[in-house]
Amino acid sequence: MWIESRIRYKRVRFASVFLPLDCIAHLTPLLHRHSQITVSLTLSVGTSQMASALLSFPSVSPSAASSLQDKCKGKMKSGSSFPSAFFGKEKRPLSMKTKSNGRITMAVAVNASRFDNITMAPPDPILGVSEAFKADTDEMKLNLGVGAYRTEELQPYVLKVVRKAENLMLERGENKEYLPIEGLAAFNKATAELLFGADNPVIHEQRVATIQGLSGTGSLRIAAALIERYFPGAKVLISSPTWGNHKNIFNDARVPWSEYRYYDPKTVGLDFDGMIADIKAAPEGSFVLLHGCAHNPTGIDPTPEQWEKIADVIQEKNHIPFFDVAYQGFASGSLDQDASSVRLFAARGMELFVAQSYSKNLGLYAERIGAINVLCSSADAAVRVKSQMKRIARPMYSNPPVHGARIVANVVGNPDFFNEWKEEMEMMAGRIKSVRQKLYNNLCAKDKSGKDWSFVLKQIGMFSFTGLNKAQSDNMTDKWHIYMTKDGRISLAGLSAAKCEYLADAIIDSYHNVS
């Protein structure tokens, strides 16, 4: 039995052939792969082969099949019917029209997904930790993966000063109108002054181009787009290791990057010589991404003397420093101390980029509030740079949200609120320092091997790089129900004093008993 087949793709007819019945079944995979292919088949009815022909064809809906049976009634032998196997489990539309010559035309459109070639993305290495933690029912479980501050009871904390700033906003009855592309003017002023110091000449000379960004991530992304557009071919140097999203951001912006040595696994400290050598070896005019304070993930910062040497090399090579400042005031408890690295480079007259975030130091994680600052050699250059950053932001997200920006502006702009904020930051930083010390004490007391755990105290900020490898980190989760990133980083912000001994036991076991 031969069947006439007219095949169309979209609106173009590209084939009209007669096919043997047994070939029809082989068309099915093709139909499933191409969602806009329509096949019209003309069958001779009234033959004993009709049932077998239908068995070969892709499944159709019961309503269409019933209609077809009605049209064929009287043309098939008494008692003949369409086999139920013809309809199958998947239902696909079938349209028909009967011709007077006893032939039936069936047009079948196969609606396969246009997204069949899109694969499943891997889970985020940091945010995926929280999902696994939530599914664990063990009462001793600890989530040390995500860098978010917790109280001693391991509960999220909203700063009291943030509540007061929000109440002030309600009292004022402020509206929800769109912000300009660059964001809230009061926020931009406050954040630049907070970073460089209100009395810094770069502020008075208006050499800082600042726009509000979508926290640190969005601010970095604006800067990456600016680099791609106005520094074509320039490479960004990123520390090894670094925050997990840095590489994603530059990849997405199509900015080339390479790594410079930073972490020394032998000392669980800074590989300063390797860092300097790699910065020296980079092509002149490269961007060097630096963590302003509380390096993520290691918690290892250069000393003031080492920062001077880093600045020397960057100036010698005509590189452009690019700071990521996510923990100002939250690392040491002092806003000025945590901004000292940025101010050192600015005092040397260097042009530089600084991305800021207020997720940690004001606890505004979900508000997505941050800024990108570009320190230029002149006010005129700053005006032009700002105009291009706005041009980049416009098609990305049009303009930023207002709520978090008003909180920051109110806190920084009100002397009473500002002092209260500094006190709360000191409290949060102090709690993290306290559990860091207690963890170190427990490690030293429980581990009789003579291993030096002093690196725990030398690190700063909410993270500690334990030196555990992937297998040892897996043991922390599988055996001890302690969730962390696979590079051995733990967030001390998610640790309570009551759980320090338990964590020490888990680290010692994983370090000594898992290779």
Side-chain angles (χ1 to χ4, degrees), residues 476-512:
M476 294 280 287
T477 301
D478 298 340
K479 179 178 178 180
W480 294 88
H481 303 274
I482 295 172
Y483 292 82
M484 55 192 289
T485 54
K486 300 308 179 184
D487 57 3
R489 186 197 79 172
I490 58 174
S491 172
L492 296 178
L495 176 65
S496 65
K499 292 288 185 74
C500 284
E501 183 177 356
Y502 180 74
L503 177 59
D505 288 336
I507 292 174
I508 292 168
D509 171 65
S510 300
Y511 179 79
H512 289 295

Side-chain angles (χ1 to χ4, degrees), residues 335-475:
L335 288 164
D336 293 327
Q337 183 176 331
D338 290 346
S340 61
S341 59
V342 175
R343 295 177 186 180
L344 165 67
F345 282 66
R348 288 181 172 225
M350 301 172 71
E351 294 185 305
L352 53 86
F353 286 36
V354 187
Q356 289 172 281
S357 168
Y358 290 92
S359 292
K360 309 299 191 297
N361 56 12
L362 265 171
L364 300 177
Y365 307 99
E367 299 296 348
R368 313 309 298 144
I369 178 65
I372 177 66
N373 306 266
V374 181
L375 174 57
C376 304
S377 60
S378 68
D380 176 66
V383 170
R384 286 183 278 109
V385 169
K386 183 174 182 177
S387 74
Q388 292 298 336
M389 290 196 294
K390 289 166 60 177
R391 186 180 180 187
I392 290 168
R394 174 60 170 158
M396 274 191 185
Y397 54 84
S398 194
N399 50 9
V402 71
H403 192 81
R406 282 179 175 154
I407 292 173
V408 175
N410 287 343
V411 169
V412 177
N414 182 310
D416 292 336
F417 286 179
F418 187 64
N419 289 331
E420 185 173 342
W421 177 36
K422 289 193 289 185
E423 290 176 2
E424 287 197 83
M425 271 193 296
E426 290 175 5
M427 178 273 294
M428 292 188 292
R431 197 190 84 75
I432 293 174
K433 290 178 183 177
S434 174
V435 295
R436 185 184 288 277
Q437 180 69 55
K438 190 163 186 177
L439 174 62
Y440 168 75
N441 293 343
N442 276 280
L443 287 168
C444 293
K446 288 175 170 289
D447 184 14
K448 306 302 180 183
S449 70
K451 176 176 171 57
D452 182 10
W453 295 99
S454 62
F455 64 85
V456 174
L457 293 183
K458 293 175 183 176
Q459 297 167 357
I460 190 173
M462 65 164 50
F463 298 115
S464 176
F465 219 50
T466 61
L468 299 179
N469 60 32
K470 182 180 182 302
Q472 293 164 340
S473 299
D474 286 338
N475 183 68

Side-chain angles (χ1 to χ4, degrees), residues 258-280:
S258 62
E259 294 181 306
Y260 61 84
R261 283 169 282 178
Y262 193 86
Y263 171 69
D264 183 353
K266 295 178 182 178
T267 63
V268 196
L270 178 65
D271 182 359
F272 183 67
D273 291 339
M275 178 184 184
I276 293 297
D278 290 344
I279 293 174
K280 281 184 177 180

Side-chain angles (χ1 to χ4, degrees), residues 25-241:
H26 298 296
L27 286 173
T28 303
L30 177 68
L31 298 175
H32 281 270
R33 285 197 300 270
H34 299 282
S35 62
Q36 296 192 54
I37 287 183
T38 299
V39 180
S40 298
L41 302 178
T42 302
L43 307 178
S44 296
V45 298
T47 70
S48 60
Q49 294 170 307
M50 175 60 78
S52 60
L54 296 174
L55 278 169
S56 304
F57 203 73
S59 55
V60 298
S61 67
S63 60
S66 175
S67 174
L68 180 59
Q69 280 187 308
D70 291 341
K71 291 179 181 293
C72 294
K73 190 175 294 184
K75 296 181 180 285
M76 299 181 66
K77 293 181 180 179
S78 176
S80 296
S81 61
F82 290 98
S84 59
F86 169 59
F87 310 125
K89 293 181 180 179
E90 295 183 3
K91 311 305 179 187
R92 299 190 181 277
L94 174 67
S95 62
M96 298 148 292
K97 62 179 180 178
T98 305
K99 297 184 178 180
S100 59
N101 61 0
R103 297 160 70 84
I104 296 176
T105 298
M106 298 184 294
V108 181
V110 180
N111 295 317
S113 173
R114 296 170 187 266
F115 308 111
D116 283 345
N117 63 330
I118 296 180
T119 59
M120 179 65 71
D124 185 273
I126 297 177
L127 299 182
V129 172
S130 293
E131 296 303 315
F133 171 78
K134 291 176 183 177
D136 194 330
T137 57
D138 192 276
E139 63 179 11
M140 292 301 291
K141 68 178 182 178
L142 271 174
N143 184 1
L144 306 183
V146 179
Y149 182 80
R150 296 290 182 264
T151 64
E152 178 63 26
E153 294 73 36
L154 301 183
Q155 296 301 311
Y157 178 66
V158 179
L159 276 69
K160 295 175 183 176
V161 72
V162 168
R163 296 289 195 202
K164 291 181 179 179
E166 288 180 316
N167 288 334
L168 181 61
M169 290 159 58
L170 290 174
E171 291 172 7
R172 291 174 177 171
E174 293 172 315
N175 61 45
K176 303 293 184 181
E177 289 294 304
Y178 289 124
L179 286 178
I181 300 171
E182 66 265 33
L184 186 70
F187 165 80
N188 290 340
K189 180 178 183 294
T191 197
E193 291 178 354
L194 196 70
L195 179 64
F196 293 100
D199 296 328
N200 196 310
V202 302
I203 298 294
H204 297 305
E205 294 163 9
Q206 299 182 329
R207 293 196 287 119
V208 183
T210 302
I211 71 167
Q212 182 183 334
L214 303 181
S215 198
T217 301
S219 302
L220 286 161
R221 185 63 178 80
I222 291 290
L226 191 71
I227 292 171
E228 191 275 335
R229 188 170 296 183
Y230 293 102
F231 300 85
K235 181 179 288 186
V236 175
L237 276 65
I238 301 174
S239 67
S240 177

